[in-house]
Amino acid sequence: MVDPVAHLPTPPSPWVERFAPLVPGGEVLDLACGSGRHSRLLAALGHAVVAVDRDAEALAATAGDGIVTSQIDLEEEGACWPFGPARFAGIIVTNYLHRPLLADMLGSLAPNGMLIYETFADGNAAFGKPSNPNFLLQPGELLELARMHGLRVIAFEDGVVNTPKPAMVQRICAVKEEFPREAALLPSF
């Protein structure tokens, strides 16, 4: 039986909303896009979006103007990264972690591209699922990933959020070397 509520649109992550306007012009990848909340946001900002998920129902909810959907299970045995190098101006990932993808994913970021990543972190078991360490970032893991791949960190956070539900998260916005420093417009607090 299909859960009619499972694929209802949800609002974008405030983290993604904050940095999405800074993604340079070009194609954007929304990896593990779910029902497309970030795909729609990036398409509304004028980007051509490639929305990838293994769930056909989620992709049906994601489809729309400026969004190309692609049903791919990147975790199945023998799966390999389907995108070429330096293709995407932006890559958005939320609530998903599959470490074997990370190096190839970052290789698909354009020389001036931006990565916006937010997912669960070590300590999330206190709040519920996911609790498996395979799906939880370790302390500083996103910072180390950025360092290893020559990305400049625009913003990073590691801690507890209360919405949409209490969780331990880690999130980063990082850019490749050709992203202009003056293009990183950070809001005042």
Side-chain angles (χ1 to χ4, degrees):
M1 179 166 178
V2 174
D3 180 357
V5 179
H7 299 296
L8 287 179
T10 56
S13 154
W15 185 256
V16 175
E17 274 187 315
R18 177 180 173 189
F19 294 104
L22 303 181
V23 173
E27 194 173 35
V28 174
L29 173 64
D30 186 1
L31 183 62
C33 66
S35 60
R37 63 189 177 142
H38 301 122
S39 296
R40 286 186 290 281
L41 171 66
L42 273 294
L45 291 171
H47 294 279
V49 177
V50 176
V52 173
D53 204 285
R54 65 181 173 190
D55 183 337
E57 288 181 45
L59 288 171
T62 301
D65 289 342
I67 302 170
V68 173
T69 61
S70 187
Q71 184 180 1
I72 304 172
D73 184 349
L74 292 166
E75 295 178 37
E76 75 181 356
E77 178 119 8
C80 57
W81 186 249
F83 304 108
R87 175 173 173 179
F88 297 108
I91 296 176
I92 313 297
V93 186
T94 60
N95 302 332
Y96 180 71
L97 177 62
H98 184 58
R99 288 177 180 91
L101 295 177
L102 295 174
D104 289 333
M105 177 191 73
L106 291 175
S108 289
L109 200 56
N112 67 336
M114 176 179 280
L115 171 69
I116 303 172
Y117 204 125
E118 174 183 37
T119 197
F120 302 101
D122 184 49
N124 193 65
F127 302 98
K129 295 203 181 274
S131 56
N132 180 332
N134 292 333
F135 306 120
L136 301 175
L137 290 164
Q138 294 305 300
E141 188 171 350
L142 285 179
L143 288 173
E144 180 60 16
L145 179 71
R147 187 196 66 74
M148 287 175 44
H149 292 276
L151 300 178
R152 184 167 38 95
V153 176
I154 301 296
F156 173 79
E157 293 183 349
D158 184 357
V160 176
V161 296
N162 290 314
T163 57
K165 65 177 186 140
M168 182 70 71
V169 301
Q170 207 175 118
R171 46 196 179 194
I172 198 166
C173 176
V175 295
K176 294 283 284 230
E177 66 274 358
E178 291 183 23
F179 186 91
R181 287 187 67 86
E182 63 274 7
L185 305 172
L186 304 177
S188 300
F189 289 102

